[in-house]
Amino acid sequence: MPYDPSAFPPFAVTVDLVVLTVRRHALCALAVRRGEPPFQGRWALPGGFVRADEDLAQAAARELAEETGLRAHDPSVPVQDNGAHLEQLATYGDPKRDPRMRVVSVAHLALAPDLPAPRAGGDASNARWAPVDELLQQGGYGRDGEPVAPLAFDHAQILADGVERARSKIEYSSLATAFCPTEFTVGELRRVYEAVWGVALDPRNFHRKVTGTPGFLVPTGGTTTRQGGRPAQLFRAGGATLLNPPMLRPEV
Amino acid sequence: MPYDPSAFPPFAVTVDLVVLTVRRHALCALAVRRGEPPFQGRWALPGGFVRADEDLAQAAARELAEETGLRAHDPSVPVQDNGAHLEQLATYGDPKRDPRMRVVSVAHLALAPDLPAPRAGGDASNARWAPVDELLQQGGYGRDGEPVAPLAFDHAQILADGVERARSKIEYSSLATAFCPTEFTVGELRRVYEAVWGVALDPRNFHRKVTGTPGFLVPTGGTTTRQGGRPAQLFRAGGATLLNPPMLRPEV
DNA sequence: GATCATAGTCGTCTGCTTGACGATAAACAC
DNA sequence: GTGTTTATCGTCAAGCAGACGACTATGATC
């Protein structure tokens, strides 16, 4: 294993982002349209090169800010204010994943509350929140009936891995609150779980579970009626990051 | 995000391996002694450069074979024969992690049954199985009383992350069987959990749990008495990879 | 203002899993 | 045989989850 500088092949290193949010009861991911070949005109995950003096997490946070305006949290700090949760997902390095050169991409996963509208270099038509189901279906048709092209590069795989990570992680952590605004109701949190898992949950058992787990939610004292119906208590995310026992995802 | 070939800084990409096994009731990791600067003479994780035409998983499997002679499993296939479990762990890319140049390391985690003896280029004194507690304690003294130097580079962090991954993953998957030979007893599997978690488990409850989880263990029909005491049934790992409900790690 | 629809919150009951631990079984050493 | 070790089965109580009834507090509709 000598580190002879002439003995190793050079790589380009990028970060790609799986930015997830919940909009209109659906789990959505941020997609940007590629403006140049390869895969010109196709949708892709946002990302970019890691700079020479930058850590991987810094690069991911910078890209996230550039694409969405979101600040990333320090991962060691519990979810708070309107920053996004950001964590490393996995690294993809197939020699043929980019037809032009050898690129290793360190994918990151970001979870954000519902945001107004994406901006990508100021051009709204080149960035959008798309339901992950729509982005992942291969060769199907979108909700508007137009044919859906698969994501560029290996981004479908990266997105699928990110979604799976998010689905499993909200089971045993308090990460689902990262999809919520600073103050939220139990019902809003439940709708997050329902959107991410794609299932219906019993409101009564869910309420018992989340309010009974110490440190998960702290009441702010306020109430809201923005969902209609009886006013609901408002909560903030508590300090607990791990849920024990976990939230159980219903079978199949 | 233009892909102008002159616009990105070149990186070296390596794979580093956290190879874990259980020896004499202790969780051990493979360490190799560095033969050259920086950190010459210090212990480090095995690893090496990713080749120009190689996938990351291939590079990790190649390094694993070079260091231990182990073949890696296809991760989609359940644990079987004496191959090792191999999975990607995380990627480390701090600009200063290698003092000579910009190196991004894609760390992998391997779990192996107890092996005869490590070989690193045929020189046994340059590779060893060391208890992870010993490798991770900073500036302490080893079991033989000699001072322990911390691992080279950021390998202590990588090792800690790998150990934590293994500890949590055996909770909800059948991965603990990767530490066992092809055929093993419930008691041997229990001692794996005890070594990895560093706790004592009730043999009766453990037996009930693992034999009661469908698909976890399949009896081979044979028995063995190699542990002394009453002969124990032999099992192979079953097809199940996920344990539901999980194996619970005792509180603190 | 009465009624209805909607969403939130509190309780109850039942079954399953766990943790603690008693008891028995089958080998070996002496 | 006696003691030691390890394996295996059984029992019991506590805790938690799923199913679901009941009640509350809003806004919408008649």
Side-chain angles (χ1 to χ4, degrees):
Chain A
M1 311 147 288
Y3 272 70
D4 175 357
S6 67
F8 65 89
F11 289 72
V13 176
T14 62
V15 290
D16 284 325
L17 295 181
V18 177
V19 190
L20 299 180
T21 195
V22 174
R23 316 193 83 193
R24 286 187 258 107
H25 291 203
L27 182 64
C28 294
L30 183 60
V32 298
R33 197 190 294 274
R34 287 187 55 77
E36 54 200 82
F39 301 102
Q40 185 166 23
R42 291 263 285 280
W43 293 98
L45 299 178
F49 289 106
V50 177
R51 296 181 181 162
D53 57 349
E54 218 178 22
D55 190 8
L56 301 174
Q58 285 170 19
R62 173 178 54 76
E63 289 289 338
L64 181 64
E66 288 176 6
E67 302 284 349
T68 67
L70 285 167
R71 288 197 326 279
H73 279 131
D74 186 309
S76 63
V77 176
V79 174
Q80 60 193 4
D81 63 43
N82 261 35
H85 169 86
L86 182 62
E87 68 178 47
Q88 196 186 104
L89 177 57
T91 300
Y92 300 81
D94 189 288
K96 297 193 176 62
R97 66 180 294 277
D98 189 310
R100 294 158 302 174
M101 56 183 171
R102 189 70 200 265
V103 179
V104 164
S105 175
V106 184
H108 286 68
L109 174 66
L111 308 185
D114 196 357
L115 298 171
R119 57 167 206 204
D123 186 348
S125 74
N126 286 335
R128 64 165 181 150
W129 292 107
V132 296
D133 296 340
E134 195 173 308
L135 290 174
L136 288 177
Q137 64 179 280
Q138 298 284 327
Y141 293 85
R143 204 171 17 186
D144 48 7
E146 74 179 24
V148 177
L151 288 172
F153 303 108
D154 52 1
H155 288 187
Q157 182 64 51
I158 298 176
L159 175 58
D161 292 348
V163 168
E164 184 47 41
R165 170 82 65 94
R167 286 192 172 136
S168 72
K169 208 151 182 182
I170 63 173
E171 280 191 78
Y172 58 88
S173 80
S174 61
L175 258 190
T177 58
F179 287 115
C180 295
T182 311
E183 294 199 343
F184 53 91
T185 69
V186 173
E188 289 165 347
L189 183 61
R190 176 169 49 82
R191 281 181 278 275
V192 164
Y193 274 91
E194 292 179 332
V196 176
W197 284 345
V199 297
L201 299 175
D202 185 293
R204 298 157 291 188
N205 292 336
F206 183 88
H207 188 278
R208 178 181 60 190
K209 175 69 180 174
V210 297
T211 56
T213 300
F216 191 6
L217 302 181
V218 295
T220 65
T223 61
T224 184
T225 174
R226 61 180 166 233
Q227 298 292 334
R230 170 176 166 180
Q233 260 193 288
L234 284 169
F235 295 87
R236 283 183 298 103
T241 57
L242 254 48
L243 264 39
N244 208 322
M247 187 79 115
L248 292 181
R249 175 158 32 165
E251 307 286 320
V252 188
Chain B
M1 313 145 285
Y3 272 70
D4 176 356
S6 67
F8 64 89
F11 289 73
V13 176
T14 62
V15 290
D16 285 325
L17 295 180
V18 177
V19 190
L20 298 179
T21 194
V22 174
R23 315 193 84 192
R24 286 187 260 108
H25 292 203
L27 183 63
C28 294
L30 184 61
V32 298
R33 197 191 293 273
R34 287 189 55 79
E36 57 199 78
F39 301 101
Q40 185 167 23
R42 291 265 284 281
W43 293 99
L45 299 177
F49 289 106
V50 177
R51 296 181 182 162
D53 57 349
E54 220 178 21
D55 190 9
L56 301 174
Q58 284 170 20
R62 174 177 54 75
E63 289 288 340
L64 181 65
E66 288 176 6
E67 302 284 349
T68 67
L70 285 167
R71 290 198 324 280
H73 279 130
D74 185 310
S76 63
V77 175
V79 174
Q80 59 191 3
D81 63 44
N82 261 36
H85 170 86
L86 182 62
E87 67 177 47
Q88 196 187 105
L89 176 59
T91 300
Y92 300 81
D94 189 287
K96 297 193 176 62
R97 66 181 294 278
D98 189 310
R100 294 158 302 175
M101 57 183 171
R102 189 70 200 265
V103 179
V104 164
S105 175
V106 184
H108 285 69
L109 175 65
L111 308 184
D114 196 359
L115 297 172
R119 57 167 207 202
D123 186 349
S125 74
N126 285 334
R128 65 166 181 149
W129 292 107
V132 295
D133 297 339
E134 196 174 307
L135 290 174
L136 288 177
Q137 61 178 281
Q138 299 282 330
Y141 292 86
R143 205 171 15 188
D144 49 7
E146 74 178 27
V148 177
L151 289 172
F153 303 107
D154 52 2
H155 287 186
Q157 182 63 52
I158 298 176
L159 175 59
D161 292 348
V163 168
E164 184 46 41
R165 170 83 65 95
R167 284 191 174 137
S168 72
K169 207 150 182 182
I170 65 174
E171 280 191 78
Y172 58 88
S173 79
S174 62
L175 258 190
T177 58
F179 287 116
C180 294
T182 313
E183 295 199 343
F184 54 89
T185 70
V186 172
E188 289 165 348
L189 183 62
R190 175 169 48 83
R191 281 180 278 275
V192 164
Y193 275 91
E194 292 179 333
V196 176
W197 284 345
V199 297
L201 299 174
D202 185 292
R204 298 157 290 188
N205 291 337
F206 183 86
H207 188 278
R208 177 182 60 189
K209 175 69 179 173
V210 296
T211 58
T213 300
F216 190 7
L217 301 181
V218 295
T220 66
T223 61
T224 184
T225 173
R226 62 180 167 232
Q227 298 291 338
R230 171 176 166 180
Q233 261 191 287
L234 284 168
F235 294 87
R236 281 184 298 104
T241 57
L242 254 48
L243 264 39
N244 209 318
M247 187 79 122
L248 291 181
R249 178 162 25 168
E251 307 287 320
V252 188

